[in-house]
Amino acid sequence: MNWWQKIKHHPRIIRLTNWEYWSFNTVYFPIYPIWLFLAARTRSLFFFSAANPTIRNGGFLNESKKEVYALIPEQYYPPTIFVKAGTSTDDVLKSINQRGFRFPLIAKPDVGERGRDVKKLDNERDLLAYVVKAGDDFLIQKFMNYPLEAGIFYHRNPGEPGTISGIVFKEFLTVTGNGSDSIEELLMQNPRYILQLSALREELGEGIHRIPAPGEKLELVPYGNHCRGARFTNVSRRISPQLVETFNSVCMQIPGFHYGRLDVRFESWEKLERGEAFTIIELNGAGSEPTHIYDPGKTIFYAWKEIVRHWFILNRISRLNHRLGVPYMRWKEARQMFREHRERTSAKERGRHQGLPADMFA
C-alpha cells in the first residue's frame, strides 16, 4: 500500500469523505429548524410520542423490545426469551433448554439501539460470557438463518391501511478468501471494513490472521447493522402493491403501530412479497431513520430530503392520533426519557473503559 492509499484508508479520512459515517448531530443539525417548524404546528417539541400510542415514548427512545414483541403476533418474530439483569447462568441455561433452543442464538439488550450489544452466540461458552457481562435486561432469540435482511419503512394513518415509503437492503460484513491474504488483510482492502477492525480483532482474536481458501466466504458479522459494517443499499424500487398488501396485513395486527421501520430477515424477495419465509427481527417506532438514506451512492442532500419527508409523515400521524385523544409527551416525561438514555449510554461507556470487549459497544 503506497502513501496515498494509506491516507485514503485512514479511518478519519474515510469518515470525513463519506457522509454516512458522520455523527448524528453533524447530519441532523442543518435540518433542525424544520423539526422546530413541525413542533410549532403541534405546539409540542415531542409530538412524536403520539405516533405509536402503545409503544413507550412512541418508540423514539428507551422502548422495551420485550414489550414491542408482545404487540406482534408470535408467528412473525423469532422465539424469544426475556432475561432479567442478574439472572444466574444456570437459570438462563435452564430456560434455553426448556424452550428447546439450539445454538447459534442471538442475544440483544431489551433496551438499546444501533446494534449495540447485539451478539451471535455460537456455543454455550459465548452464552455464559454474554450473561456474565450483561448489565441490563436482555433477550435471547433463535437465530433465524434466512440469507437476506432488509428494513421496511411503513406508515399508516389511524384507522386506515398504510404504505411503504422506503426499503433498505443490508449486505452483511463478509470477506472472500484468495488463498494468500489473511482475514485482517482482506478487511484492510475495504474502507468500510477498516472501521470495524478494532472490534473484529477483539472478536476474532488470533483467528483474524487465518488465511481463507480461494473463494471461501466468511460472514464475520451475521446481522445487518450499519454501525457493524453492513452496507446499506436503497432498494425502494421493490415497493409493489403486493408487498404493501402483505405488510398491511401484518402491521394492522399490531395494536397502536402507525409509523416505523421493520427489520426483517427473509428467504427471497418473491416469498417476502407473498408473506412467506420471513421474520421480524426488530420493530422500530418514532425514532426510526429511513435507513435507505445510507446508500453510499446517495448524497447528503438526498438524505436530508428523505429525513424531512418522513418527519412530515410522523407529524401528520401524531396530529391525527392527538385529535383522537392521544396526549403529547410533557416536558417532565421528555426530561426523564433523555435522562434515562444518557445514563444508560454513560454506563456502557464506563464499561468500555473497564476493559470489556470492544465488540460489546461497537
Side-chain angles (χ1 to χ4, degrees):
M1 186 180 293
N2 59 39
W3 65 270
W4 176 240
Q5 289 175 318
K6 288 181 179 179
I7 292 175
K8 288 198 303 181
H9 284 73
H10 192 283
R12 289 184 180 178
I13 299 300
I14 294 170
R15 290 190 176 96
L16 180 65
T17 56
N18 294 273
W19 77 263
E20 61 177 302
Y21 300 121
W22 294 354
S23 71
F24 182 90
N25 285 331
T26 302
V27 172
Y28 279 80
F29 181 78
I31 55 176
Y32 280 153
I34 298 174
W35 183 274
L36 295 177
F37 165 75
L38 294 171
R41 293 175 69 181
T42 57
R43 299 181 181 179
S44 172
L45 273 172
F46 316 112
F47 60 83
F48 55 79
S49 63
N52 301 307
T54 56
I55 302 176
R56 186 187 183 201
N57 304 326
F60 189 79
L61 278 178
N62 303 338
E63 69 273 23
S64 160
K65 292 181 175 65
K66 173 179 177 287
E67 294 174 3
V68 172
Y69 283 130
L71 299 172
I72 306 171
E74 287 188 3
Q75 67 267 29
Y76 294 128
Y77 65 91
T80 301
I81 296 172
F82 173 74
V83 182
K84 288 286 294 181
T87 301
S88 70
T89 54
D90 288 343
D91 286 342
V92 173
L93 285 170
K94 182 179 179 181
S95 296
I96 287 175
N97 292 329
Q98 287 176 340
R99 290 290 300 274
F101 282 19
R102 297 291 180 267
F103 293 102
L105 303 170
I106 288 288
K108 62 179 70 171
D110 183 46
V111 178
E113 67 280 331
R114 294 180 176 267
R116 291 188 180 96
D117 296 6
V118 177
K119 188 171 178 62
K120 184 182 179 186
L121 311 175
D122 289 314
N123 49 51
E124 187 174 308
R125 182 184 60 189
D126 290 346
L127 171 66
L128 298 181
Y130 193 93
V131 173
V132 169
K133 293 183 177 73
D136 298 306
D137 300 344
F138 63 96
L139 306 176
I140 296 176
Q141 296 182 315
K142 284 190 175 182
F143 179 69
M144 308 303 286
N145 198 26
Y146 292 128
L148 306 178
E149 185 172 328
I152 310 288
F153 209 106
Y154 175 89
H155 60 85
R156 68 181 182 91
N157 293 338
E160 300 176 8
T163 191
I164 296 170
S165 55
I167 304 178
V168 62
F169 179 63
K170 306 178 181 185
E171 300 175 53
F172 306 144
L173 195 163
T174 303
V175 295
T176 303
N178 57 19
S180 59
D181 291 330
S182 68
I183 293 174
E184 184 176 39
E185 290 167 332
L186 292 170
L187 290 167
M188 289 291 292
Q189 295 166 22
N190 187 323
R192 180 178 303 277
Y193 298 169
I194 288 173
L195 300 180
Q196 303 299 318
L197 269 175
S198 177
L200 288 169
R201 283 171 179 146
E202 187 74 36
E203 173 83 15
L204 299 175
E206 288 301 311
I208 201 168
H209 302 300
R210 183 170 80 84
I211 298 176
E216 180 183 359
K217 289 189 175 182
L218 298 174
E219 192 175 86
L220 301 180
V221 180
Y223 26 82
N225 188 271
H226 190 263
C227 296
R228 303 293 296 272
R231 177 187 173 96
F232 282 14
T233 305
N234 181 5
V235 293
S236 298
R237 67 182 186 280
R238 288 190 174 273
I239 299 173
S240 68
Q242 187 176 8
L243 190 65
V244 170
E245 182 180 348
T246 290
F247 276 86
N248 263 321
S249 69
V250 173
C251 293
M252 293 187 75
Q253 297 180 60
I254 304 174
F257 174 61
H258 298 94
Y259 176 94
R261 192 187 68 249
L262 300 100
D263 294 330
V264 299
R265 292 195 74 144
F266 57 102
E267 187 172 310
S268 71
W269 289 103
E270 293 74 23
K271 289 187 176 181
L272 183 64
E273 273 202 336
R274 298 195 299 268
E276 302 170 359
F278 81 97
T279 189
I280 299 170
I281 54 176
E282 292 277 348
L283 186 152
N284 306 276
S288 301
E289 286 185 299
T291 47
H292 54 278
I293 64 175
Y294 291 110
D295 185 318
K298 300 298 184 182
T299 67
I300 187 63
F301 300 102
Y302 173 83
W304 287 334
K305 177 177 71 71
E306 284 297 281
I307 293 168
V308 168
R309 178 168 75 96
H310 284 79
W311 280 357
F312 271 85
I313 295 169
L314 174 62
N315 184 265
R316 182 189 72 235
I317 292 171
S318 298
R319 285 186 288 116
L320 290 172
N321 274 329
H322 186 64
R323 291 172 191 168
L324 295 173
V326 180
Y328 295 134
M329 179 181 287
R330 294 172 296 180
W331 277 93
K332 181 179 179 181
E333 296 168 322
R335 285 198 301 270
Q336 179 63 23
M337 176 183 71
F338 287 116
R339 184 182 301 116
E340 287 181 15
H341 179 70
R342 183 171 59 251
E343 289 174 353
R344 181 176 294 107
T345 303
S346 297
K348 292 184 185 299
E349 287 299 319
R350 288 195 298 272
R352 184 204 299 260
H353 295 299
Q354 289 169 3
L356 295 181
D359 72 284
M360 294 290 287
F361 304 95

